[in-house]
Amino acid sequence: MSLSRTLIDVRPLRTSPVFRRLLIGRTVSALGGFMTMVTVMYQVWEMTHSAAWSGAVGLAQALPLVCFGLFAGAWADRGDRRRIFLAATVGQAVCSLLLAVQGFTGNVPVGGVLALVAAQSACAAVGGPAAGVFVPRLLPKEQVASGLALYQVTGQAMMFVGPALGGLLLGWFGIGVCYLLDALSFLLSFYGAFGLPALPPEGEPSRAGLRGVLDGLRFLAGHRVVRGALVTDLAATVLSMPVSLFPLINDERFGGDPRTLGLFLSAVAIGGVLASALSGAVTHLARPGLVMLFGAGVWGAALASFGVMSSPWVGLGLLVVAGGADALSVLSRTTIVQTRTPDALLGRVTAAEQIVGQAGPHLGNMRAGLVAGATSGATALVTGGLLCLVAVVYVGASTRELRDDRTVPEAP
């Protein structure tokens, strides 16, 4: 295969100025979001010195997604997705601005900080399903996977750069400036989406309230390929998410060296960036179901191997492999969701994907911590990775449509 077909496909950047603006805005906003993630964790710890309060940050981010996500998806399938996304972006910017104000004044209790974090997450729960329609509506069908790969590589790069930059800015300027920069980053996100045309649903709009949500859930239950994609991602996150185990594994296996611990997350991000940058072969292959199953299986196997590895360098190599496999799996899952779902249901299905992709890791980290508390960090990693592998094999064996799909067909 030629190098041009191996490297990430950049045709969407050349052919669609609107997509290009969206990507720039999304990238800058993601950078601000990762900076804010570090800033919130730092501020809450400094205010409380409590691991329980630090854990409450994740809960404040996850609960609005779970509680409002599907209803937000039904709303997105009834109205103009562009307007909904713009309104949600303004809401997120206002929350960041209020976080900046309290960061400069220092007069807000920790509960108030978490309330602002939850409000911002609720706005993201509204904007995410609306944004889910952008790529398949803006790009030709054959470029959708390539556009999603560009989203993926920029997001992985910001996950690598954002926390480090946030830590530097925290040390130089303090928490208020970090929150303010995040608020300003939403200006570019707003600009990127402002030039979009109106994007009402194609087909019958969602019914109001719970009935619309149930329609979306019925589609998920009945569409074996989309359902299999989300179940596979749940297996990868809930059964084998390793992040909460990194400090314990570092103590058990690598002597508690903080330099090693800092490299763990970086290794996962580096794997994701490399895999996304070399995703051209995957997007041209047009077999997203098979790639997703393979990626999720390698993720589980790599993490199980990491749990028994005594060499830090080999362990870091396994985390790079795991990060790359996860990036390809997520790219394939998103491609399946956005190309196999009818436009009129895409907001609700994207909301379900958002819940799985963001709430699943929080549940996975909780599972890992409970198992490690009863046994050891290595046991939690090995059993989680093997359970993930078994679940992926089961989904692949029981869902022939997902395993054998050779094209990215039109949505039914």
Side-chain angles (χ1 to χ4, degrees), residues 54 181 230 236 249 278 312 315:
S54 296
L181 290 174
L230 297 187
I249 290 292
L278 299 174

Side-chain angles (χ1 to χ4, degrees), residues 28-112:
V28 174
S29 181
L31 176 64
F34 282 115
M35 288 169 50
T36 289
M37 178 185 72
V38 172
T39 306
V40 169
M41 293 296 294
Y42 175 81
Q43 182 182 6
V44 169
W45 177 257
E46 287 297 304
M47 294 173 75
T48 65
H49 291 283
S50 165
W53 278 110
S54 296
V57 174
L59 191 64
Q61 294 169 326
L63 277 179
L65 290 173
V66 174
C67 295
F68 304 131
L70 291 177
F71 288 95
W75 183 26
D77 285 339
R78 296 181 62 210
D80 180 357
R81 279 78 171 257
R82 170 185 172 273
R83 288 180 178 272
I84 293 171
F85 177 79
L86 291 176
T89 301
V90 171
Q92 289 178 277
V94 169
C95 290
S96 286
L97 192 59
L98 292 174
L99 283 168
V101 170
Q102 66 83 30
F104 286 122
T105 62
N107 294 325
V108 176
V110 64

